[in-house]
Amino acid sequence: MIVVSSPLHALHEPPREVSGGREVPAFEIGARATSILAAVEADGGFQLQAPDGFGLEPILAVHDPGLVRYLETAWDEWLAGGTGGDSIVPDTIRHPGLRPMGDAGPEPESPCGRVGYWTFDTATPIVAGTWQAARSAVDVAITTAARVLAGAPVAYGLCRPPGHHAARDLFGGYCYMNNAAITAHWSTQRTGATVAILDVDVHHGNGSQAIFWERPDVLYVSLHSDPRGMYPYYVGYADEVGGGAGMGRNLNLPLPQGTDDAAYLAALEVGLARIADFGASMLVVSLGLDTYALDPIGGFGLTASGYTAIGRRVALLGLPTVILQEGGYHVGDLGRNVVAWLRGFSPAA
Ligand code: SP5
Ligand code: ZN
């Protein structure tokens, strides 16, 4: 199996995040990618490749140009503003209830105002290298799809930072640009064919759902921890089925805290049946390993052997498959779990 990765991910190394109302060490750190690469290299059966550069066009086909401009300029502007500190975190966030007019209003000029205009949480800091790293993750993702469109049956992109929480005009959830959504859209434009996204991160991929909400040609299917008790809290419920021309092209399968391998595999059958019905010509997997039993923020009970079984079952769909890294925060076991999943999908690597 081809594995695409870039060393530029390491330019994004947030020192801490604000979650649970406290400053804690960041969960989404470069050591995650190191763990994955070490396990891939130790396996020996994978073919490591560097990404090609795709520029801004595929990003701007999905994201608001204002968000992209913000991410590109935020760090230099923050430094110039003299606010100080080693990372950008909002103190105030644009809440829709603030404006009875119902619109977003103008983007403020103040650096503190700008960050809260484009993000929805306090756990996704911007540091000096965030923009370059996030761009490299997009290039990794599109390159992975390009290999599959060129004939590889499957390929894995080690995207970091992850992407599935980023919406058209919002970053958050450790995600700045939506690697999977950019890649799925790029693939539809390249081929004119339909794409299914299967999101197995423990968190609902609110960004991917929102981006394709009204799209008939991209099916979004997500298995995740019930948002009543889990980030992103406000979205990811079972009654969210898509809108307009995308009605019926969104399937949320919220599962209880503590979900184990067997219960997960049962729910996976429901998701895979929908993908098979849809008749997608390509599959994009948003691969989060934060469903792991020992994950520090996930709360599910999955195991390495469960990941192998899940990978094997997804492979039985028989679709050309682009696997993109999302979450997974047990750094010590993350690489082993990714390889267990990929080996389940492709036992011969
Ligand atoms: C890509 C991805 O997996 N993003 C997840 C973002 C979750 N952000 C909120 C983290 C809240 C952590 N709460 C810590 C509780 C520890 N018991
Ligand atoms: Zn996650």
Side-chain angles (χ1 to χ4, degrees), residues 52-60 135 138-139 142 182:
D52 302 321
F54 291 88
L56 290 182
E57 195 182 319
I59 295 172
L60 292 169
R135 278 200 64 182
V138 171
D139 282 335
I142 301 175
I182 293 166

Side-chain angles (χ1 to χ4, degrees), residues 164-165 173-174 201-204 231 288-290 297 326-329:
H164 74 151
H165 294 298
Y174 314 153
D201 189 280
V202 81
H203 304 101
H204 178 248
Y231 185 95
L289 287 304
D290 42 13
I297 66 173
E326 300 282 359
Y329 306 100

Side-chain angles (χ1 to χ4, degrees), residues 192-252:
T194 54
V195 173
I197 300 175
L198 174 65
D199 190 329
V200 296
D201 189 280
V202 81
H203 304 101
H204 178 248
N206 59 283
S208 303
Q209 168 172 296
I211 286 164
F212 297 115
W213 187 249
E214 297 197 347
R215 284 277 291 271
D217 56 334
V218 179
L219 172 69
Y220 179 73
V221 173
S222 179
L223 284 72
H224 50 268
S225 187
D226 191 321
R228 284 181 296 176
M230 175 60 74
Y231 185 95
Y233 308 117
Y234 315 111
V235 63
Y237 294 92
D239 63 355
E240 300 161 12
V241 298
M247 184 80 78
R249 303 283 160 94
N250 193 90
L251 177 62
N252 287 330

Side-chain angles (χ1 to χ4, degrees), residues 202 225 230 256-259 290-302:
V202 81
S225 187
M230 175 60 74
Q257 283 288 299
T259 290
D290 42 13
T291 49
Y292 182 45
L294 301 180
D295 192 274
I297 66 173
F300 273 15
L302 272 57

